[in-house]
Amino acid sequence: MKGELKMFNSIVEKLLKAEEETPVVEYIEARKLHGRIDLSLNQEAMEEETFRDLLEDLVLTTPRTSSKLFFNQLFGGRKSKAVLGDLLAVMLNNSMYTYKVGGPQVGVEKSIINKLCEMVGYGEAGNGTFPSGGSMSNLMAMIMARDAHDPKIKLEGTAKKLIVYTSKASHYSTPKNAAMMGIGRNNVRFVDTDSKGELQSDHLEELILEDLEKGNTPFFVNLTAGTTVLGAYDPIPPTSRICKKYNLWLHVDGAYGGGVIFSKKYKHLVAGLEEADSFSVNAHKMLGTPLTCSIILTKHSQQLYDSFSNNAEYLYQTDGDDFNLGKISMQCGRRNDALKFWTLWKSVGTETLEKYVDQQFYLAEVAREYISNHPDYTLYSYDDSISICFNYKGIDANELCTLLYQEAEIMVGFGQFQEDEFIRFVTINSENKKEDILNFFAKLESFVAKSVQLSSEVTR
Ligand SMILES: *Cc1c(COP(=O)(O)O)cnc(C)c1O
């Protein structure tokens, strides 16, 4: 192992230096990838030196998602204490299904779950787990909702037409999960949003009544805390009242924006969260933990157990169900995603996680203010969001983002809401400073100025 650790250190040092000097890596066309790096697998072992060089080349040609100029997705930056935890998780290579194999690591996971349950107001009645990502967290919520509606479905299946409600601006995992569960994509109702992208609860109730009229069976409502494009927060209290009235499970998908529970200043965006039956949050988004680190919480701990426990004599051999986390998870073998979040949280404290969240909103304000003061820009997003959606000089967002990527200038993506397509600039990297945000705009503007020709060529 010593040789590999040395190799690791030397490659990582080069990576860190490269990230500083060249925040956006040179673009390699997908169809030319295999010609550029030898990724083939061979019969013979490789000579150590050649292997090292190849590995270094692979690392240094990979997109730099932790750099100052990566704004393409809903994650960014690198929290060193979290990285340390993840490296140790790999070294330990536990599986989180039993206490026998996970030992104190099980306590690490439980400690985070308990603390989060306390923070969202579920208290002792709550429990949760770390699924493999936000999509799977949402799937677990839908499964619990189905079983809470009718526990027999798990055993016998059902011919009932189960109906799911989610907003038009919600993440694609909801219809995908409905498809995977046999509920069917066509039994997902997409509720209208207002101009800010927030679900309209009046329309939700109308849709529920229509379904009841038709003899369908509504059972699940998904709200989003931070929609994937605009970063909008759906209103919890009016939706919760509707869910109680019609006896529906309310899930809040906070994969993107759920991190606001750490901020005194912004947790009002999820006011009423304690009324929801379940809540998911990705620590790998707002909370800066490496991918993937997703958490699902529910205030019905018995339902979590009833939906996901199975007996297996070959697996569960010691200790109680409380410490054998496989009884409340989807997977059998499960990676230790908790440790990296714990090493971060334990070392920097809750107050620092709060600062990370607040910094993202501050950077978003800097960006919105810049846009508002510059007439060449059009803004499409709203306050209280860390997604800043805009267009510059009316240039096609898709073309501009793609050119910025291919020319290795900036990694940023584009999105759509209703009729508009725009650049989606995400200030999720809390290590960035005001000047990094201003630098983004400066780079964008000088790129456009020097490549008017380029972009008009693409248009033709
Ligand atoms: C990112 C995201 C998800 C999916 O999470 P993954 O970990 O990527 O599967 C779900 N919902 C919302 C609102 C998201 O932004």
Side-chain angles (χ1 to χ4, degrees), residues 74 132-138 169-174 222-229 253-257 280 282 284-285 291-294 424:
L74 307 180
S132 58
S135 301
M136 291 300 110
S137 286
N138 291 344
S170 66
H171 189 258
Y172 72 77
S173 54
T174 295
N222 176 75
L223 287 186
T224 312
T227 56
T228 311
V229 177
D253 173 7
Y256 176 22
S280 52
N282 279 355
H284 68 252
K285 288 184 174 169
L291 282 153
T292 43
C293 191
S294 183
R424 182 190 63 170

Side-chain angles (χ1 to χ4, degrees), residues 81-274:
K81 286 294 193 299
V83 171
L84 174 67
D86 211 11
L87 293 172
L88 290 171
V90 172
M91 286 305 294
L92 289 167
N93 199 35
N94 298 105
S95 179
M96 298 300 276
Y97 40 33
T98 61
Y99 185 75
K100 190 178 181 185
V101 172
Q105 300 299 324
V106 167
V108 162
E109 176 160 332
K110 283 172 72 74
S111 173
I112 295 174
I113 296 290
N114 290 343
K115 183 76 182 173
L116 290 175
C117 280
E118 182 193 311
M119 286 170 69
V120 304
Y122 289 169
E124 308 251 305
N127 201 359
T129 184
F130 284 67
S132 58
S135 301
M136 291 300 110
S137 286
N138 291 344
L139 177 60
M140 287 185 78
M142 206 183 274
I143 293 170
M144 286 190 282
R146 180 201 64 189
D147 295 346
H149 166 75
D150 181 355
K152 286 204 303 296
I153 295 179
K154 183 176 162 177
L155 303 170
E156 297 166 9
T158 186
K160 279 189 218 171
K161 219 171 185 187
L162 296 171
I163 310 286
V164 167
Y165 303 85
T166 191
S167 95
K168 285 181 174 155
S170 66
H171 189 258
Y172 72 77
S173 54
T174 295
K176 182 174 176 174
N177 291 338
M180 293 197 294
M181 277 177 66
I183 286 169
R185 280 177 189 269
N186 294 345
N187 295 320
V188 178
R189 305 283 178 257
F190 295 97
V191 185
D192 284 345
T193 61
D194 62 15
S195 58
K196 291 166 94 179
E198 296 170 11
L199 175 136
Q200 286 187 303
S201 53
D202 295 350
H203 187 226
L204 168 67
E205 189 162 16
E206 274 171 39
L207 291 173
I208 293 170
L209 288 169
E210 275 173 30
D211 276 307
L212 290 172
E213 186 83 359
K214 288 184 197 147
N216 296 336
T217 309
F219 79 107
F220 180 76
V221 176
N222 176 75
L223 287 186
T224 312
T227 56
T228 311
V229 177
L230 285 185
Y233 286 80
D234 289 337
I236 301 175
T239 313
S240 157
R241 280 193 289 277
I242 293 169
C243 289
K244 290 207 165 87
K245 184 166 164 191
Y246 299 97
N247 198 21
L248 314 177
W249 184 284
L250 177 59
H251 174 63
V252 176
D253 173 7
Y256 176 22
V260 295
I261 58 170
F262 281 86
S263 166
K264 285 190 271 305
K265 199 166 166 197
Y266 294 99
K267 71 177 172 199
H268 69 89
L269 295 170
V270 290
L273 187 54
E274 68 284 355

Side-chain angles (χ1 to χ4, degrees), residues 18-32:
E19 277 176 2
E20 270 304 308
E21 290 167 359
T22 321
V24 183
V25 83
E26 195 186 317
Y27 163 65
I28 305 174
E29 251 183 276
R31 61 186 180 87
K32 292 188 180 155

